[in-house]
Amino acid sequence: MKRIYLAFVALLMTTFAFSQGTLTGTIVDGELGGPLPGASVMVKGTSTGTSTDFDGNFTLDVNQSSGTLVISYIGFVTKNVPFSTTGSLGTISLFPDAEELGEVVVVGTGIIDLAKDRKTPIAVSSVPVKIIQEKIGTQDVTMTLVNTPSVYVSGQSGGFGDTNMRVRGFDQDNTAFLLNGQPINGMEDGLMYWSNWSGLNDIASAVQIQRGLGSSKLAISSVGGTVNFVTKATEMNEGGFAYATVANNNYIKTSAGYNTGISEKGWGLSVMLSHWQGDGYNEGNFGEGQTYFISAGYRPNDTHGFNFLITGAPQFHDQNFTKSISSYLEYGRRYNNNWGTYKGQYLTERRNFYHKPVANLNWDWNISETASLSTVLYASWGNGGGTGNLGNRIRTAEGRIDYDAIYAQNAAVTNGDAVSFGSEPAYITRASMNLHNWYGLISNFEKELSDNLTWNVGFDLRTYYGKHFRVVSDFHGLNSWSENVRLRDQNNNHETYGTFGTYKRVTATESFRPSAWQAAFNSYPEDQKIAYSNDERISYGGLFTQLEYATDTFSTFFQGSISNQYHQRFDFYQYADQALIDGTSSQATGTPLPAGIEPGTDSEKVNNFGYNAKGGFSYSPTMQHSFYGNVGYYNRQPYHDNIYLNFTNQVNPLTENEKIFGLEAGYGFSSAIFSANVNLYRTSWKDRVVTSSDIVDDVVTFESNFGTEQLHTGVEVDFKLRPVDGLSINGFASIGDWVYKGDAVTQVTDENRNVISFETEDFDGGKVGGAAQTSGGLGFAYRINKMISVDSDWRYYADLYSDVGAIKENLKLPSFNILDAGVTFRMPLGADKTKQLKIRGNVNNALNTIYISRLTTARFVEPGDETYNGLNVSNQGYFGWGRTWNVTLRYDF
């Protein structure tokens, strides 16, 4: 009996032992790839459960050897995961629930081109909201992407919002930036001004960069890649947050948000407000701004969903420009000569100020189980500009602006009425204004033709009207400022009738404060504009389509688009008006134009047609391995600023479309603890033309620089490793070879295109500058316990050349390393632990590395020249930031 009892006890213990165990795993966003902190993990039919940590990891003790886990996260489709043994379940992906407004809703799902929209793999990196919130600190939103291959960010020392981001060596005007699927590059020049988007740090729910060809279906032709900023939308559950950030150089930021949740009738509202200000890392780099965000959602039924969103980030920031290395060595690496004091009070000569509200209305229509339509109507109203000097500037011995001396100089001007370059020296601060109204409509129809075949078709319409002029910002004690404007006729020629030609006198008596808020509501009389005043209209229409065939192991796709751009320029300043033509204007000085010559204020209308096509395939023989290849060709229209010559209405007769040809291939591996990607690329960019014109002895000539081909080739590697619970390691490396190919040709022709001269210069093999061609990084995040975690990122940059355009022998900058580190403390609050207090601290460039981030000249060392780290100190550029820090206290409820 005793033996039977002992055997029974042993059986119970064995059974009990085998039924006890631990399950582990990682929950990630199936679209963006980032972890989902706070996801619920429950054993089905029991009360046993846990939630994921900030890395999406979970550890759960279970008393059964098999069963089903129920994985849920607000806004995502709940997933049942069966288990038949304990141990690691690997990575579990959840996907957004398209049937409801999620906690963070991706509205316009057919418009926002995330990588999920195509099964063919691409070179892509995603940054979830957790990383944006924790690591951005006082930096521009561009800094969220520095830990990804082939991305280089420079120019931080210019001031808040003045960074420059390059992808695979291509500048910002050749990378497409999208906000919820809307193109936001400048329509005139393709450039990005990050100060206009300072609020993205607060409202972004994710950032995804698609390097190279990408998955965008729009009729856009980006060379470097596509960056998608996905903002928050109306949130499903009631709640909110508040946080405050303090940082080096007197930086402080406060922010608060609240969402009502979605009512039973389908309505919901989310709002967010923030304010920031700081002195800036460099001297004379003060900045201040706000961000507002309002999103209203409505889902009347399961078929239709609407979301209206408006956001803006009015700001001003004082700027620092490139200077010689010798100036930094003499006055310090934080030296800025754009500011001074008047009676002891700070004044700046260079202030950027802008307010660019963006509004959009999204409509998602689930037509049937196999068809859907997504449409977004958007608008943007930009108002602001940048200040600078006109007249006789006076500097102190340290090279800063001597405003006390300037006021004394202006006080000596007769009656306070100054004349530009007159006999009495004078000085004013002017503001170069850039105003615009931008409206657009994008729509995409998706149809599942079969279980394996999907078709998309849509259109992209945009219209833009911009205004550019100058006004007086500060008279500094003067009463007025007058200029003589030399006029042109309708043929863009300066009139030379009489001894002094034909002029008009412009006199400004009003000043306009450089304020982002005031710029949005100010009116600017035409008679108060100085230096120039011109408008432009740019209209754009594109059609795009995509066809994709996909099975479990193979997929292939084709995308194509056509587009047309319409341009016209309107000049109100430098062309003769009717009064001058008739010789009756009281403003006329010099000789009036002869009668009979018509005014020429409106330029010729220009239309340009473009197209692109791309296709590719993928093959996944197993769940762990995948291969892909893509090819694309772009025939891209020139930007508006390249169409009209020398800031006049004169049309460039030699402008032609640019040609871009791209090839990509890649391999991906994924397992429960390790994933990695390898990408190869080759991008050729041809037919870049920059043209200027001149008039010599009444003969019009055109000088065109036919740029050499830019050929960018390279390899990229990135990986993620989760060797043990609580530890994640990630890394990347990119090696590029970005060079100019062939000859550069300078051709001079007359207006009939007869060649006057033709010179060829060899630039073959010259290095493309502005971005590090070799880079790498390694980072980790470690959860010490449930409340404390630490992380760090190290980056290395090499083969960085001066940003000087096509050149045979470019100047190579010294390589450098950057180390960032951070710590996070979390404390759940409330009886149900649904509230949270979080403290986050960052130290960027923790080792205080001294490095040059960018040079804009390429002056080599000659015998007797002073040098710094092997560089001629006469070179102009920026040093990078030294050690900086920030601490954030956040409360979520």
Side-chain angles (χ1 to χ4, degrees):
M1 184 70 180
K2 183 177 181 180
R3 291 178 180 177
I4 295 174
Y5 174 79
L6 292 175
F8 180 74
V9 171
L11 178 62
L12 286 177
M13 292 180 64
T14 302
T15 303
F16 180 79
F18 278 100
S19 65
Q20 296 289 320
T22 301
L23 294 172
T24 62
T26 303
I27 312 301
V28 299
D29 183 335
E31 287 186 350
L32 297 172
L36 293 178
S40 172
V41 182
M42 298 290 296
V43 178
K44 189 174 183 179
T46 74
S47 59
T48 302
T50 187
S51 60
T52 56
D53 63 19
F54 77 105
D55 281 326
N57 299 321
F58 70 88
T59 300
L60 180 64
D61 294 328
V62 295
N63 56 10
Q64 57 193 76
S65 58
S66 63
T68 300
L69 291 184
V70 180
I71 315 294
S72 62
Y73 192 78
I74 297 176
F76 286 72
V77 177
T78 298
K79 190 170 188 176
N80 293 326
V81 179
F83 63 93
S84 57
T85 183
T86 55
S88 175
L89 296 178
T91 299
I92 302 169
S93 297
L94 299 185
F95 291 89
D97 190 346
E99 301 302 320
E100 63 176 346
L101 287 172
E103 181 180 24
V104 177
V105 182
V106 178
V107 292
T109 52
I111 303 298
I112 302 175
D113 285 306
L114 299 178
K116 72 175 183 63
D117 292 328
R118 197 174 80 203
K119 294 185 179 180
T120 303
I122 57 175
V124 61
S125 300
S126 300
V127 182
V129 63
K130 166 187 165 297
I131 300 298
I132 299 171
Q133 290 178 355
E134 292 186 353
K135 294 191 176 184
I136 195 64
T138 63
Q139 305 172 104
D140 289 351
V141 71
T142 52
M143 298 300 292
T144 60
L145 297 169
V146 294
N147 293 308
T148 57
S150 297
V151 172
Y152 184 74
V153 179
S154 63
Q156 283 180 290
S157 293
F160 292 107
D162 283 347
T163 56
N164 178 279
M165 188 182 86
R166 304 199 179 198
V167 182
R168 290 183 175 175
F170 295 106
D171 206 346
Q172 297 181 145
D173 57 339
N174 298 297
T175 298
F177 295 92
L178 307 176
L179 178 67
N180 290 340
Q182 309 162 27
I184 58 175
N185 295 72
M187 288 193 70
E188 299 165 6
D189 50 19
L191 295 177
M192 284 295 298
Y193 302 94
W194 294 108
S195 57
N196 297 346
W197 306 99
S198 60
L200 282 177
N201 301 353
D202 296 306
I203 65 174
S205 62
V207 180
Q208 185 182 87
I209 179 171
Q210 303 167 8
R211 300 180 298 277
L213 296 174
S215 67
S216 173
K217 298 183 289 292
L218 298 182
I220 54 176
S221 302
S222 58
V223 186
T226 303
V227 179
N228 291 279
F229 296 102
V230 182
T231 71
K232 299 177 181 179
T234 310
E235 301 188 21
M236 181 178 180
N237 291 338
E238 182 180 6
F241 69 89
Y243 73 82
T245 298
V246 294
N248 54 279
N249 300 103
N250 298 315
Y251 181 92
I252 184 169
K253 179 176 183 177
T254 55
S255 182
Y258 177 74
N259 45 277
T260 64
I262 302 300
S263 69
E264 294 181 358
K265 295 183 178 181
W267 286 96
L269 179 69
S270 296
V271 297
M272 190 280 301
L273 298 171
S274 72
H275 174 87
W276 65 269
Q277 65 184 55
D279 292 343
Y281 181 80
N282 282 19
E283 59 181 69
N285 269 175
F286 183 78
E288 180 180 311
Q290 298 80 37
T291 301
Y292 56 87
F293 171 86
I294 303 172
S295 179
Y298 176 55
R299 179 171 287 276
N301 50 50
D302 293 337
T303 302
H304 298 279
F306 301 90
N307 199 92
F308 174 77
L309 182 153
I310 184 167
T311 184
Q315 60 80 40
F316 74 81
H317 68 279
D318 300 339
Q319 297 179 290
N320 180 34
F321 295 154
T322 59
K323 277 176 285 296
S324 66
I325 298 173
S326 60
S327 295
Y328 291 115
L329 296 178
E330 181 177 1
Y331 299 114
R333 292 190 305 277
R334 301 191 184 193
Y335 175 60
N336 178 10
N337 61 353
N338 291 333
W339 69 282
T341 60
Y342 173 60
K343 294 182 178 180
Q345 297 298 312
Y346 169 87
L347 286 178
T348 181
E349 187 178 80
R350 295 287 181 174
R351 170 166 292 181
N352 176 279
F353 57 101
Y354 217 80
H355 185 188
K356 185 182 175 69
V358 176
N360 63 56
L361 176 63
N362 289 273
W363 171 36
D364 292 324
W365 179 18
N366 296 319
I367 301 172
S368 67
E369 292 183 357
T370 61
S372 63
L373 179 70
S374 288
T375 303
V376 57
L377 175 66
Y378 64 91
S380 171
W381 308 274
N383 297 275
T387 65
N389 74 294
L390 286 177
N392 184 50
R393 179 200 289 123
I394 304 174
R395 292 193 177 276
T396 65
E398 297 78 21
R400 300 183 181 91
I401 312 296
D402 191 341
Y403 283 106
D404 292 309
I406 285 172
Y407 271 85
Q409 169 189 262
N410 286 354
V413 173
T414 303
N415 298 323
D417 297 322
V419 178
S420 174
F421 305 108
S423 59
E424 297 178 302
Y427 171 100
I428 62 169
T429 302
R430 51 79 181 166
S432 299
M433 304 297 296
N434 299 292
L435 317 180
H436 73 249
N437 293 328
W438 187 347
Y439 303 95
L441 178 66
I442 304 174
S443 188
N444 177 60
F445 173 75
E446 180 173 298
K447 173 67 176 178
E448 295 180 14
L449 301 178
S450 68
D451 291 341
N452 303 112
L453 191 63
T454 303
W455 175 53
N456 283 268
V457 63
F459 61 83
D460 175 10
L461 303 177
R462 299 172 233 161
T463 183
Y464 171 98
Y465 194 89
K467 300 180 178 182
H468 307 282
F469 54 88
R470 277 183 177 172
V471 293
V472 177
S473 173
D474 195 332
F475 283 106
H476 299 289
L478 295 172
N479 295 323
S480 67
W481 178 265
S482 296
E483 294 180 350
N484 288 333
V485 183
R486 191 180 181 191
L487 299 172
R488 298 173 180 270
D489 65 13
Q490 84 279 12
N491 295 316
N492 296 288
N493 300 322
H494 281 303
E495 284 303 319
T496 56
Y497 302 104
T499 305
F500 302 104
T502 302
Y503 296 81
K504 70 176 179 180
R505 171 66 63 88
V506 175
T507 300
T509 58
E510 297 180 36
S511 62
F512 300 85
R513 181 170 173 262
S515 163
W517 283 104
Q518 289 188 15
F521 303 102
N522 277 343
S523 60
Y524 301 91
E526 195 68 31
D527 62 2
Q528 295 298 312
K529 297 176 182 178
I530 60 175
Y532 59 84
S533 175
N534 57 80
D535 299 357
E536 66 263 331
R537 167 76 70 186
I538 306 172
S539 296
Y540 174 95
L543 297 173
F544 55 86
T545 189
Q546 172 181 291
L547 192 65
E548 180 182 62
Y549 175 82
T551 66
D552 291 338
T553 59
F554 176 79
S555 70
T556 184
F557 81 99
F558 170 79
Q559 292 180 14
S561 70
I562 57 174
S563 61
N564 190 67
Q565 293 182 359
Y566 154 83
H567 302 262
Q568 190 170 19
R569 187 178 186 276
F570 314 99
D571 199 302
F572 308 111
Y573 196 83
Q574 60 180 321
Y575 287 86
D577 59 28
Q578 191 63 46
L580 284 169
I581 290 171
D582 296 337
T584 59
S585 173
S586 60
Q587 289 183 313
T589 63
T591 305
L593 288 170
I597 297 181
E598 295 297 326
T601 57
D602 296 354
S603 75
E604 176 186 341
K605 297 178 182 178
V606 176
N607 284 281
N608 289 310
F609 179 81
Y611 61 91
N612 64 57
K614 51 188 175 182
F617 73 93
S618 71
Y619 175 58
S620 302
T622 68
M623 293 293 291
Q624 291 185 320
H625 304 278
S626 62
F627 304 85
Y628 81 93
N630 296 325
V631 59
Y633 178 80
Y634 298 154
N635 188 282
R636 189 176 79 171
Q637 303 99 320
Y639 286 118
H640 179 92
D641 286 355
N642 292 331
I643 292 175
Y644 296 101
L645 294 170
N646 304 333
F647 304 103
T648 72
N649 287 351
Q650 189 173 24
V651 176
N652 185 350
L654 301 177
T655 299
E656 59 179 300
N657 285 11
E658 300 168 357
K659 284 80 175 178
I660 301 107
F661 181 67
L663 293 170
E664 296 176 345
Y667 165 74
F669 174 82
S670 178
S671 69
I673 64 171
F674 179 74
S675 62
N677 299 284
V678 179
N679 301 294
L680 306 173
Y681 66 89
R682 182 187 188 277
T683 304
S684 169
W685 186 11
K686 296 181 178 180
D687 291 337
R688 300 187 64 188
V689 179
V690 179
T691 304
S692 59
S693 64
D694 198 5
I695 301 175
V696 179
D697 297 329
D698 296 329
V699 177
V700 180
T701 60
F702 298 98
E703 180 177 297
S704 297
N705 300 106
F706 296 87
T708 58
E709 174 189 357
Q710 273 185 237
L711 182 62
H712 293 222
T713 58
V715 57
E716 303 165 338
V717 179
D718 64 85
F719 72 87
K720 295 180 180 179
L721 174 65
R722 299 181 183 273
V724 295
D725 290 343
L727 176 64
S728 63
I729 300 171
N730 60 82
F732 72 92
S734 55
I735 300 175
D737 183 24
W738 310 329
V739 296
Y740 294 97
K741 302 291 290 184
D743 301 329
V745 176
T746 300
Q747 176 179 284
V748 179
T749 65
D750 61 21
E751 55 187 324
N752 295 318
R753 302 193 184 184
N754 297 313
V755 177
I756 299 173
S757 65
F758 188 92
E759 296 181 3
T760 302
E761 189 172 358
D762 178 23
F763 288 137
D764 193 61
K767 294 293 187 178
V768 176
Q773 302 201 18
T774 300
S775 63
L778 190 64
F780 80 91
Y782 178 62
R783 187 186 73 254
I784 298 174
N785 53 46
K786 291 184 178 181
M787 292 193 296
I788 301 176
S789 60
V790 295
D791 56 82
S792 182
D793 294 293
W794 166 83
R795 297 185 299 278
Y796 170 74
Y797 299 103
D799 298 319
L800 171 63
Y801 295 87
S802 289
D803 187 13
V804 291
I807 190 172
K808 179 69 173 179
E809 298 293 336
N810 204 347
L811 182 64
K812 188 175 180 179
L813 280 60
S815 59
F816 60 93
N817 301 268
I818 298 292
L819 180 68
D820 300 334
V823 60
T824 303
F825 172 81
R826 290 182 180 82
M827 178 184 294
L829 301 174
D832 55 0
K833 306 297 184 182
T834 58
K835 302 177 180 64
Q836 177 181 252
L837 180 69
K838 181 167 71 174
I839 302 174
R840 170 71 184 187
N842 291 298
V843 179
N844 297 319
N845 193 3
L847 302 180
N848 201 29
T849 300
I850 299 172
Y851 64 99
I852 295 176
S853 65
R854 185 186 183 196
L855 286 183
T856 56
T857 57
R859 300 165 187 162
F860 289 86
V861 175
E862 301 292 342
D865 288 341
E866 183 183 353
T867 64
Y868 172 81
N869 282 357
L871 300 173
N872 189 323
V873 297
S874 67
N875 280 293
Q876 304 271 328
Y878 288 119
F879 276 87
W881 281 3
R883 184 186 296 114
T884 61
W885 60 269
N886 62 82
V887 177
T888 298
L889 175 66
R890 182 183 178 101
Y891 175 60
D892 293 287
F893 60 91

